[in-house]
């Protein structure tokens, strides 16, 4: 196997024997075969659009299938095989429609005609031949950008899928995903063409995130500042992790009146701020921290656990019988909930003891998404103009197991008193329960939401730039980001597309970025690897 799509890749170079995430070589190969076949499906879809043939099923499926290949989403070979077979079935059906509409269905001998084997072993062997380390592209910098594009598309697809689940879609997003994915088969594009496509992924990702923002706020209302208990109360319990708001809503409906409290975990924390979710009295509190601590935290949870999206890790014996997956998530042997019928999860929660005592562990505030922050824009502007607020830091992104991620905790602790910290995504669990006080009635630490809410942070920055009548890069705002998986990759490309400069990125740089590509990023976007909190703070505030 060869996989180097995430930050924890082995030796900072690539997982070759087994994934650091626990991905087995057979699953890695099957995901590579699926990705290869999706390129072919996108070739057909792109030709289809040229002759007026669109197929929503193909579009939705492509995003779901790309989502399954994200880090920590699906580890079940049977699931990936189902996606492989479905890709071919949809591809052949679409070809027939494209042909009937006068399009060409001559795609040479690449992924648009490739036939997967009939057994798992055959498919694994085929997948091993089309992995990222077998890319025939001779130019290492083009290869680097091509792979960046694919990883960015995986992240973008996750956002588009979330938005689609809540009924928000834009055909332009689907068209761009197909076109760019189909381009990865081409061998005639220059380095500059690939730079353009890399930024295009960022541009389209902003639209996908905008759709998701519309979907979340349109369905559940704009998040409002909400106090979330970190302890628990007596009673049966279900823990919901991942990012899917719809799953949480359905679970809340189905548990109503059953004497079960629902707790959020990881990236579900910001859900407490949505009016249409917080109205459920049994959405009680938040349990635990970020994804990489789940083995320890889930082992101690006395109820059922639902993993709605990334990031799942190998279930430990202590909670193997209590955990369920939904959506595109899969782990071999873990029961999967289809069609949002959470009866098995509820049954398991009722069988388990639940919490037998009440423990107060304090609370945190959530709900500082764009509507809340921009609702007090006058106050913010006044505080900046009057000198009460010197600088804003967006300390955001993913968490992970590497010790280098302590940088972010230390950074936030060292941010001077006259500065505000905005945060989002699971990296915040390094400091989310710190009381940083207030400035002029505004909290010094504001949680914008999930990684899925990065659009909200971008809107806050753009609105402030407009209010101050400056370019976004002239705002007293610095981005200090941590990345781990491919959604972070897509967001980073979006920030580059928006021309946002001087981003500090850590804890380490992507293995798939070559020195020359890094040089381009540094020269054009002034992107910087993190150094130490003291040095970075000094440099940022001096500027
Ligand atoms: Fe965190 Fe994991 Fe949010 Fe990422 S829960 S690293 O995939 O999606 O962020
Ligand atoms: Fe390794 Fe990350 Fe790939 Fe898992 S997703 S196999 S940890 S590079």
């Amino acid at each position: 196997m060869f996989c180097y799509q995430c930050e924890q890749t082995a030796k900072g170079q690539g997982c070759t024997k087994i994934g650091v995430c626990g991905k087995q070589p057979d699953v890695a190969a099957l995901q590579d075969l699926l990705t290869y076949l999706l390129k072919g499906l996108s070739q057909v879809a792109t030709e289809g659009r040229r002759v007026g043939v669109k197929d929503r099923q193909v579009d939705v499926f492509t995003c779901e299938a790309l989502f399954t290949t994200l880090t920590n989403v699906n580890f079940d070979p049977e699931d990936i095989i189902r996606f492989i077979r479905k890709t071919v079935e949809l591809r052949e059906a679409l070809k027939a429609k494209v042909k009937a509409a006068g399009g060409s269905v001559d795609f040479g001998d690449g992924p648009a005609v490739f036939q997967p084997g009939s057994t798992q072993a055959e498919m694994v062997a085929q997948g091993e031949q089309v992995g990222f380390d077998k890319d025939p592209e001779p130019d290492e910098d083009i290869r680097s950008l091509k792979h960046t594009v694919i990883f960015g598309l995986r992240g973008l697809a996750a956002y588009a899928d979330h938005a689609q689940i809540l009924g928000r879609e834009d055909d332009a997003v689907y068209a761009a995903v197909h076109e760019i994915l189909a381009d990865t088969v081409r061998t005639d594009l220059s380095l500059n063409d690939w730079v353009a496509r890399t930024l295009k992924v960022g541009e389209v990702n902003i639209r996908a995130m905008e759709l998701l923002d519309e979907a979340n706020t349109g369905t559940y209302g704009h998040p409002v500042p909400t106090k979330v208990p970190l302890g628990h109360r007596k009673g049966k319990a279900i823990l919901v992790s991942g990012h899917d708001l719809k799953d949480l809503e359905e679970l809340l409906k189905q548990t109503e009146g059953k004497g079960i409290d629902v707790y959020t975990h990881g990236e579900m924390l910001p859900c407490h701020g949505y009016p249409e979710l917080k109205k459920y009295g049994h959405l009680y509190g938040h349990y635990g921290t970020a994804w990489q601590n789940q083995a320890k935290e889930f082992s101690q949870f006395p109820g059922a656990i639902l993993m709605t999206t990334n990031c799942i890790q190998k279930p430990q014996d202590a909670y193997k019988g209590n955990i369920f997956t939904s959506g595109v998530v899969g782990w071999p042997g873990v029961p999967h909930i289809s069609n949002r019928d959470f009866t098995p999860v509820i049954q398991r929660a009722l069988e388990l003891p639940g919490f037998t005592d009440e423990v107060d562990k304090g609370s945190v505030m959530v709900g500082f998404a764009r509507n809340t922050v921009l609702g007090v824009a006058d106050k913010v502007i006044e505080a900046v103009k009057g000198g009460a607020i010197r600088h804003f830091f967006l300390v955001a992104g993913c968490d992970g197991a590497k010790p280098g991620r302590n940088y972010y905790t230390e950074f936030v602790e060292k941010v001077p008193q006259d500065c505000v910290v905005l945060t989002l995504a699971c990296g915040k669990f390094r400091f989310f329960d710190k009381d940083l006080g207030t400035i002029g009635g505004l909290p010094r630490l504001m949680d914008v939401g999930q990684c899925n809410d990065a659009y909200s942070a971008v809107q806050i920055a753009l609105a402030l730039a407009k209010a101050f009548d400056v370019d976004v890069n002239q705002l007293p705002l610095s981005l200090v980001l941590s990345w781990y998986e491919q959604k972070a990759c897509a967001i980073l490309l979006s920030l580059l597309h928006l021309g946002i400069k001087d981003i500090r990125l850590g804890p380490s740089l992507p293995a798939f970025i070559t020195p020359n590509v890094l040089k381009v990023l540094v020269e054009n976007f002034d992107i910087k690897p993190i150094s130490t909190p003291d040095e970075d703070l000094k440099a940022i505030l001096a500027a």
Side-chain angles (χ1 to χ4, degrees):
M1 73 176 277
F2 181 80
C3 181
Y4 70 159
Q5 68 169 341
C6 83
E7 193 272 338
Q8 69 176 2
T9 196
K11 297 184 187 141
Q13 293 171 352
C15 296
T16 52
K17 293 193 172 68
I18 182 181
V20 173
C21 60
K23 185 155 78 175
Q24 298 295 323
D26 57 347
V27 173
L30 291 169
Q31 288 185 345
D32 286 343
L33 180 61
L34 174 60
T35 304
Y36 181 70
L37 289 165
L38 289 170
K39 293 176 186 178
L41 179 60
S42 284
Q43 284 181 295
V44 183
T46 301
E47 173 63 8
R49 279 184 160 72
R50 196 184 65 77
V51 293
V53 174
K54 290 178 195 169
D55 187 323
R56 182 175 169 272
Q57 194 192 356
V58 167
D59 302 337
V60 171
F61 170 83
T62 301
C63 289
E64 270 179 7
L66 284 168
F67 195 175
T68 62
T69 65
L70 230 74
T71 299
N72 289 343
V73 171
N74 199 310
F75 295 81
D76 191 338
E78 286 180 15
D79 282 356
I80 312 299
I81 288 171
R82 263 194 296 279
F83 273 101
I84 286 172
R85 295 210 166 108
K86 186 81 183 164
T87 307
V88 175
E89 185 189 314
L90 288 172
R91 182 188 77 191
E92 295 310 309
L94 187 58
K95 268 187 201 167
K97 286 197 223 170
V98 172
K99 197 173 175 188
S104 161
V105 288
D106 179 9
F107 298 99
D109 60 356
V113 297
F114 190 88
Q115 287 304 330
S118 53
T119 65
Q120 178 170 330
E122 282 169 7
M123 289 187 211
V124 167
Q126 289 172 324
E128 282 165 357
Q129 299 311 311
V130 293
F132 288 89
D133 57 336
K134 301 283 173 16
D135 190 331
E137 172 58 55
D139 183 311
E140 66 162 8
D141 298 322
I142 291 182
R143 209 162 57 227
S144 165
L145 288 172
K146 257 190 187 183
H147 295 183
T148 306
V149 157
I150 293 171
F151 301 145
L153 284 174
R154 287 178 172 177
L156 186 172
Y159 292 131
D161 185 57
H162 274 291
Q164 176 275 129
I165 286 170
L166 290 171
R168 297 297 198 289
E169 294 169 76
D170 179 350
D171 187 62
V173 170
Y174 293 139
V177 167
H178 288 309
E179 199 177 319
I180 302 170
L181 196 55
D183 279 348
T184 63
V185 182
R186 290 171 62 175
T187 52
D188 60 333
L189 297 172
S190 69
L191 189 70
N192 281 341
D193 292 331
W194 281 107
V195 170
R197 277 157 183 77
T198 308
L199 294 176
K200 180 79 183 168
V201 173
E203 182 186 351
V204 181
N205 184 55
I206 292 173
R207 177 66 184 134
M209 297 202 81
E210 181 183 29
L211 290 170
L212 179 54
D213 182 276
E214 280 170 26
N216 288 341
T217 58
T219 313
Y220 303 111
H222 283 281
V224 294
T226 303
K227 197 172 171 179
V228 185
L230 298 177
H232 56 257
R233 65 185 179 194
K234 209 170 160 179
K236 302 284 183 184
I238 295 177
L239 187 61
V240 186
S241 193
H243 303 71
D244 197 302
L245 275 58
K246 178 85 178 157
D247 278 355
L248 175 62
E249 183 196 20
E250 286 302 321
L251 183 69
L252 287 167
K253 281 185 191 163
Q254 291 172 35
T255 43
E256 219 169 5
K258 291 201 164 71
I260 299 171
D261 284 322
V262 174
Y263 292 79
T264 54
H265 175 264
E267 283 275 64
M268 296 303 275
L269 167 64
C271 295
H272 289 274
Y274 286 92
E276 288 302 312
L277 295 173
K278 65 181 277 180
K279 71 180 186 187
Y280 293 92
H282 61 300
L283 175 60
Y284 178 69
H286 185 79
Y287 175 90
T289 53
W291 66 271
Q292 77 280 0
N293 302 321
Q294 67 190 251
K296 190 170 161 239
E297 293 172 353
F298 289 0
S299 297
Q300 289 159 12
F301 190 77
I305 301 159
L306 176 68
M307 294 301 301
T308 68
T309 61
N310 43 332
C311 287
I312 188 171
Q313 290 183 295
K314 183 180 181 189
Q316 304 295 297
D317 288 343
Y319 59 89
K320 226 179 204 165
N322 307 341
I323 190 165
F324 299 81
T325 59
S326 62
V328 290
V329 190
W331 193 283
V334 170
H336 187 78
I337 302 297
S338 300
N339 304 322
R340 297 197 172 80
D341 177 358
F342 295 109
T343 310
V345 184
I346 295 167
Q347 269 167 4
R348 188 64 190 138
L350 292 172
E351 284 159 15
L352 288 163
F355 288 108
T356 51
D357 59 355
E358 184 150 344
V359 173
D360 181 1
K361 290 186 182 170
S363 60
V364 290
M365 290 296 291
V366 298
F368 297 94
R370 63 186 169 93
N371 207 50
T372 303
V373 177
L374 296 176
V376 291
D378 290 354
K379 242 180 170 177
V380 174
I381 291 163
E382 201 186 293
V384 174
K385 285 192 172 155
I389 297 179
R390 179 162 43 140
H391 205 86
F392 292 90
F393 292 93
L394 178 65
V395 185
C398 318
D399 206 350
K402 279 195 186 162
R405 290 183 184 270
N406 284 342
Y407 166 96
Y408 298 94
T409 321
E410 209 186 304
F411 187 95
V412 168
E413 282 169 353
K414 288 186 167 167
V415 163
Q417 287 300 319
D418 56 357
C419 302
V420 168
V421 177
L422 295 165
T423 190
L424 58 86
C426 63
K428 67 168 150 269
F429 290 107
R430 301 245 160 199
F431 48 79
F432 81 129
D433 53 354
K434 291 193 187 307
D435 182 3
L436 298 192
T438 56
I439 303 183
L442 297 164
R444 280 189 61 233
L445 176 62
M446 291 192 248
D447 183 357
V448 181
Q450 300 179 335
C451 57
N452 293 17
D453 300 310
Y455 176 82
S456 197
V458 166
Q459 290 310 304
I460 291 170
L462 295 178
L464 288 180
K466 203 171 161 201
F468 283 107
D469 196 21
V470 294
D471 179 85
V472 71
N473 287 307
Q474 293 170 311
L475 278 177
L477 165 71
S478 301
L479 275 60
V480 182
L481 307 182
S482 52
W483 85 284
Y484 171 65
E485 35 72 347
Q486 301 74 50
K487 284 196 270 180
C489 180
I491 293 169
L492 190 64
L493 298 182
S494 293
L495 295 173
L496 300 183
H497 161 75
L498 289 170
I500 293 178
K501 298 197 168 147
D502 210 18
I503 295 170
R504 277 173 174 75
L505 181 66
S508 56
L509 296 177
F512 48 88
I513 296 291
T514 57
N516 280 336
V517 171
L518 181 63
K519 207 166 146 240
V520 171
L521 292 178
V522 172
E523 279 169 7
N524 293 303
F525 300 100
D526 213 5
I527 199 165
K528 296 176 176 71
I530 56 169
S531 62
T532 66
D534 286 318
E535 271 179 37
D536 289 348
L537 271 168
K538 202 170 142 200
I540 290 168
L541 293 171

